[in-house]
Amino acid sequence: MEVYTTENEQVDALRRFFAENGKALAVGVVLGIGALVGWRYWQSHENSNMMAASQSYQEASDRLAAGKPDDVAAAEKFVQANGNSYGVLAALQLAKHFVEQNDFAKAEQQLVLAQGQTKDDNLLAMIDLRLARVQLQEKKLDEALKTLDGVKGEGWAAMMQDVRGDVLLAKGDAKGAREAYSKGIESNASQALQVLLRMKLNNLSS
């Protein structure tokens, strides 16, 4: 690095620097401003998109409550078009609707879609639990066990063991079911779930 002994030398050096690099600096400033403007535009665009998605979700949710075929189709279309949290919520509502209609295949389809639209661990755990229950109803027992393997987090352990026990029992594995129910009781289960798990254990013992 040069050492400047007088103010004049420093001024001359600055002049040379800007003469040689002025264009690059100007381009850098313009690009920086452009990036800032672009970022603000993107944020504004995203906020507008989310507001629109929120409104569309509310409309789809209200229509789905009526349960008419056209309204269900509109909700399905909304899920396909929205790979965000609103799409996940709509998919969960659709899955619930299809379960109530005993259409477990379509319920599974919506839950699988929801899986692919979120990376939130807690939301994924809830989706996996619902999916495993649906797969149990469909007699897809091995798939249900595989789905349950994806449930992470201590807060979900008791519920996961509850469903695992049901699946194992459906497979004819009473010993495995008993172990699962017992682990569920030991996993800080809520009082209501503990009562349910103990009832299931008692039924296995009788």
Side-chain angles (χ1 to χ4, degrees):
M1 181 181 292
E2 293 183 58
V3 178
Y4 302 106
T5 56
T6 68
E7 289 185 5
N8 287 336
E9 287 178 339
Q10 293 181 29
V11 170
D12 289 341
L14 285 171
R15 285 174 178 169
R16 288 197 305 273
F17 176 80
F18 281 107
E20 295 170 1
N21 301 285
K23 184 179 291 186
L25 286 172
V27 171
V29 170
V30 169
L31 289 176
I33 293 173
L36 179 61
V37 171
W39 169 249
R40 288 179 176 172
Y41 171 79
W42 181 84
Q43 282 188 312
S44 175
H45 180 67
E46 284 297 295
N47 288 337
S48 297
N49 283 346
M50 290 304 290
M51 288 179 65
S54 174
Q55 183 176 354
S56 296
Y57 164 71
Q58 190 60 54
E59 292 173 359
S61 178
D62 292 342
R63 291 181 62 183
L64 183 59
K68 296 179 180 179
D70 288 347
D71 297 330
V72 173
E76 289 177 302
K77 185 176 180 180
F78 177 85
V79 172
Q80 293 285 352
N82 289 272
N84 51 40
S85 57
Y86 293 109
V88 173
L89 292 174
L92 290 173
Q93 280 190 266
L94 273 168
K96 180 176 182 292
H97 167 79
F98 288 129
V99 166
E100 291 170 349
Q101 300 298 315
N102 291 321
D103 192 340
F104 298 110
K106 285 189 176 181
E108 180 180 11
Q109 182 182 29
Q110 290 302 318
L111 291 169
V112 170
L113 283 173
Q115 274 183 326
Q117 291 178 337
T118 183
K119 294 182 180 180
D120 182 88
D121 289 339
N122 285 316
L123 191 52
L124 279 171
M126 182 181 70
I127 292 169
D128 285 342
L129 283 170
R130 294 187 182 184
L131 178 57
R133 288 191 178 103
V134 167
Q135 290 168 332
L136 172 59
Q137 293 296 321
E138 295 180 288
K139 309 300 182 186
K140 296 181 177 180
L141 305 181
D142 290 331
E143 289 184 36
L145 290 175
K146 185 177 180 180
T147 298
L148 290 170
D149 288 339
V151 177
K152 307 298 182 184
E154 292 184 8
W156 301 97
M159 286 179 280
M160 184 273 289
Q161 293 294 349
D162 175 36
V163 182
R164 182 181 294 279
D166 291 348
V167 175
L168 291 172
L169 189 59
K171 286 174 67 72
D173 185 357
K175 180 181 178 182
R178 185 178 292 105
E179 290 177 354
Y181 294 147
S182 297
K183 287 180 180 178
I185 293 172
E186 297 167 0
S187 300
N188 296 320
S190 66
Q191 186 174 359
L193 184 53
Q194 282 194 28
V195 170
L196 177 62
L197 289 168
R198 291 186 189 282
M199 286 177 58
K200 291 181 178 182
L201 277 174
N202 291 336
N203 288 337
L204 284 174
S205 300
S206 59

